[in-house]
Amino acid sequence: MDLKDIIKPENLVYTKTKNMTDKELSYCPGCGHGTAHMITMEAVEELGITEKTIGVAPVGCSVLAYEFMNVDMQQAAHGRAPAVATALSRVMPEKVIFTYQGDGDLAAIGTAETIHACNRGENIVIIFVNNGIYGMTGGQMAPTTLMGMKSSTSPYGRTAEQNGNPLKMTELVAQLEGTYNVSRHSVHTFKNVKKAKKAIKKAFQDAMDKKGTQFVEIVSNCNSGWKMSPVKSNEWMEEHMFAYYPLGQIKKDGVLVNNSNQN
Amino acid sequence: MSKVIGAIVVDIDKCKGCELCVVACPTDVIDMTKEVNAKGYAYAYMINPEACTGCSHCATVCPDGVITVYRTKKATA
Amino acid sequence: MAEVKLMKGNEAFAEAAIRVGSDAYFGYPITPQSEVIEYLMTEQPHMRTGMVVLQAESEVAAINMVYGAAGAGKKVLTSSSSPGISLKLEGISYMAGAELPAVILNVVRGGPGLGTIQPSQADYFQAVKGGGHGDYKMLVLAPSSVQEMADFVEDAFDVAFRYRNPVMILSDGVIGQMMEKVVFKPQQDRWTEEEIIKMNGSWATTGKTADRERNIITSLNMRSDAMEIHNHKLQAKYKLMEENEVRFEEFMCDDAEYIMVAYGSSARIAQKTLDIARSKGIKVGLLRPITLFPYPTKKIQEYVNNGVKGFLSVEMSAGQMVEDVRLAVNGKAEVEHYGRNGGIVPSPTEVLNALETQIIK
């Protein structure tokens, strides 16, 4: 068959969501942020809530998320996105509020805001992209940097004596009464993207239904920070990151999931 | 044999040459060009278009959303 | 219907916040201003007007909640005292950069550090010179009575939305804690969503409808040329405030040879000093700046041109506002400072003594 017989509007099966702007993403080649943006915005589009969704961008690589996500957005001070989202949700309970944060933002400087927003059970969605490093500032150690992992501020590898242990924020917030759905995903394969998107979609729906805080972690790569090719970084992520940050549902509909059920 | 056939269209200017689509494609349709785009990246193209089933795996993992996917039933000869 | 009540300055601020139709208050307890959030929690304004009141996990969280609600075009307030305001400065700088209107009350206590819980005016620099990072200004209102603690809430929102800029009410432990008669205006309705979209829809994140582009609240610009243009825009706004928003009160300045300059509770003390001095035949006047930024610089220059020989800045600090008096006077007359620190409130006779020894000589 000739290509022109296939490439017709009626045969379209996938194109970038209109909820993303035409602006070229500022992320490095192969960075999971783009995919995480895409599925977040697809979920909003599919739920038909674009007009009432307001996002909060963090400080970090995704500081410019508001340039790419075609909804009303606020850019928050470093770590404060859950506080900003709390206010948005409180003063406009009819709207759907989400934050999009990296590991430095959410798990280091914003630990207090994250934990307290989750503990209050704010009806917001928190998308947490964990790539175990500070990407924007040039590859410094993050609270989620793996043990032994090298970064520009742990040049000989992270040690417990010097730096403490990698922080499992997602397991931590799952313990709080206020969280409703807590899960960990990745976006590096088709199957994982589909699962992550399903979780995000449910998170938005449950936030809209005022069921509490929805927390979706996406373990992702940072090929620039990790100093690997995009394909290699995803392989390294599978081998090392997933070992410490296992994918799966941690809390579902307000109930902690038995760890042995994790995939 | 698949009863459907697909095709992808790559937004060449926005492709960053990360190759994640190459890995994601279950039927080895995609390869990277030898030449580069305006930004200096090799970009994705269909080296093996007959094998495309329009499954969208490539587009789904593309972080930059540069791949558009089409799919139709194969014309019977 | 106007109502007369006897209450603390902090409570008057809180009651006025409800009455002007505020949408939200976010705060964190700290002495000597905890009555603000206590009053609001007790009054349950969500029952009266639908106003949201939330005790945040920190001052940092509270000011960022203010950022969020202000970014949605809502009328939002917070309050704190000195150490807490230091924590809020990052958020205030972001708000100035993102051009967000909000009202921030500082009931100043003695510092530095944890300092004391007693009244002070040592946060003048922090309030009027920017405080946080970057070139920005807040309009600063200085109440000197419980009545003004109430009245300035409406005034502050008015200028905050007119200029899309945070406004600080710079009070102190005396004004916050003392009880006085206060007259309240009738309850105003909160803005409806339609009204907010009509007034603030060009910038507020109320949800991107099909009829407009998305609204973005940010203080970031990756390009320095664009950031410079943004800075010029902010500076033009502050200049406009200097031209249009200066407020002050004068006491017996017409024939004065010497002028005391004092704001807030110091102005009340200086008023008593004025009475004593005048009864002794000293030709002294009192200028009470009501706005600290913009400052009544031109008024002070007028006094100098009219032959005033000396100025005494009276502040509960080591001498902060005195610098603005000196800038206005520009070396053309004597300028001295008298103040107490660390939570000590000076007496009128102390101030009179300073006037007689430092200025009149």
Side-chain angles (χ1 to χ4, degrees), chain C residues 109-171:
Chain C
R109 61 190 248 182
L114 201 51
T116 62
I117 58 168
Q118 279 79 30
S120 168
Q121 293 180 315
D123 295 358
Y124 178 91
F125 282 152
Q126 188 199 53
V128 309
K129 306 294 179 188
H133 59 283
D135 274 329
Y136 79 89
K137 296 277 189 190
M138 275 184 289
L139 190 134
V140 181
L141 286 162
S144 77
S145 65
V146 172
Q147 184 66 53
E148 285 186 339
M149 283 287 274
D151 293 345
F152 285 2
V153 176
E154 189 175 6
D155 298 349
F157 271 126
D158 178 43
V159 282
F161 276 91
R162 195 138 35 87
Y163 292 94
R164 273 186 66 191
N165 203 66
V167 172
M168 176 165 278
I169 298 179
L170 190 71
S171 184

Side-chain angles (χ1 to χ4, degrees), chain B:
Chain B
M1 268 294 277
S2 172
K3 289 198 174 90
V4 291
I5 186 153
I8 62 167
V9 176
V10 176
D11 186 340
I12 293 168
D13 293 337
K14 286 185 178 160
C15 178
K16 292 177 185 162
C18 72
E19 303 184 19
L20 295 189
C21 54
V22 177
V23 181
C25 178
T27 52
D28 297 329
V29 171
I30 309 171
D31 199 359
M32 305 309 287
T33 53
K34 295 277 184 292
E35 66 268 33
V36 295
N37 63 15
K39 288 198 297 278
Y41 294 122
Y43 50 90
Y45 78 107
M46 290 196 286
I47 190 170
N48 189 13
E50 316 76 59
C52 181
T53 63
C55 71
S56 302
H57 284 208
C58 55
T60 305
V61 299
C62 173
D64 292 280
V66 304
I67 302 175
T68 305
V69 186
Y70 298 88
R71 173 185 239 178
T72 188
K73 279 184 188 149
K74 267 186 185 165
T76 42

Side-chain angles (χ1 to χ4, degrees), chain C residues 147-197:
Chain C
Q147 184 66 53
E148 285 186 339
M149 283 287 274
D151 293 345
F152 285 2
V153 176
E154 189 175 6
D155 298 349
F157 271 126
D158 178 43
V159 282
F161 276 91
R162 195 138 35 87
Y163 292 94
R164 273 186 66 191
N165 203 66
V167 172
M168 176 165 278
I169 298 179
L170 190 71
S171 184
D172 62 62
V174 175
I175 308 294
Q177 290 296 324
M178 74 182 181
M179 292 183 86
E180 278 185 327
K181 184 182 79 173
V182 52
V183 182
F184 285 106
K185 288 182 188 169
Q187 178 68 51
Q188 296 174 39
D189 290 335
R190 284 176 49 233
W191 291 335
T192 62
E193 188 173 352
E194 291 70 37
E195 285 171 325
I196 288 174
I197 289 171

Side-chain angles (χ1 to χ4, degrees), chain A residues 54-199:
Chain A
I54 294 143
V56 185
V59 167
C61 285
S62 46
V63 65
L64 288 172
Y66 59 77
E67 295 276 346
F68 314 125
M69 296 181 175
N70 200 9
V71 293
D72 275 3
M73 297 279 292
Q74 295 199 11
Q75 194 282 315
H78 201 12
R80 317 304 173 211
V84 172
T86 292
L88 285 166
S89 170
R90 294 281 179 132
V91 300
M92 300 188 296
E94 71 286 359
K95 301 280 159 54
V96 189
I97 315 298
F98 76 94
T99 72
Y100 185 99
Q101 304 174 257
D103 42 277
D105 194 81
L106 180 140
I109 193 167
T111 317
E113 284 77 8
T114 303
I115 287 179
H116 284 281
C118 288
N119 193 48
R120 287 189 300 262
E122 299 295 344
N123 295 305
I124 59 173
V125 177
I126 296 177
I127 312 276
F128 166 38
V129 178
N130 173 13
N131 56 16
I133 205 159
Y134 284 79
M136 185 69 147
T137 43
Q140 293 84 10
M141 186 185 63
T144 51
T145 297
L146 296 177
M147 205 56 89
M149 198 171 154
K150 287 178 182 172
S151 72
S152 65
T153 53
S154 57
Y156 307 106
R158 181 180 190 147
T159 64
E161 297 74 27
Q162 172 80 7
N163 312 115
N165 293 286
L167 186 54
K168 293 185 178 182
M169 265 315 260
T170 307
E171 279 81 354
L172 210 151
V173 300
Q175 303 302 316
L176 304 172
E177 292 289 333
T179 51
Y180 191 72
N181 289 302
V182 179
S183 57
R184 184 183 284 125
H185 297 271
S186 77
V187 291
H188 70 305
T189 70
F190 177 77
K191 203 174 125 201
N192 289 92
V193 173
K194 291 289 168 194
K195 276 190 186 175
K197 184 173 158 187
K198 197 176 158 202

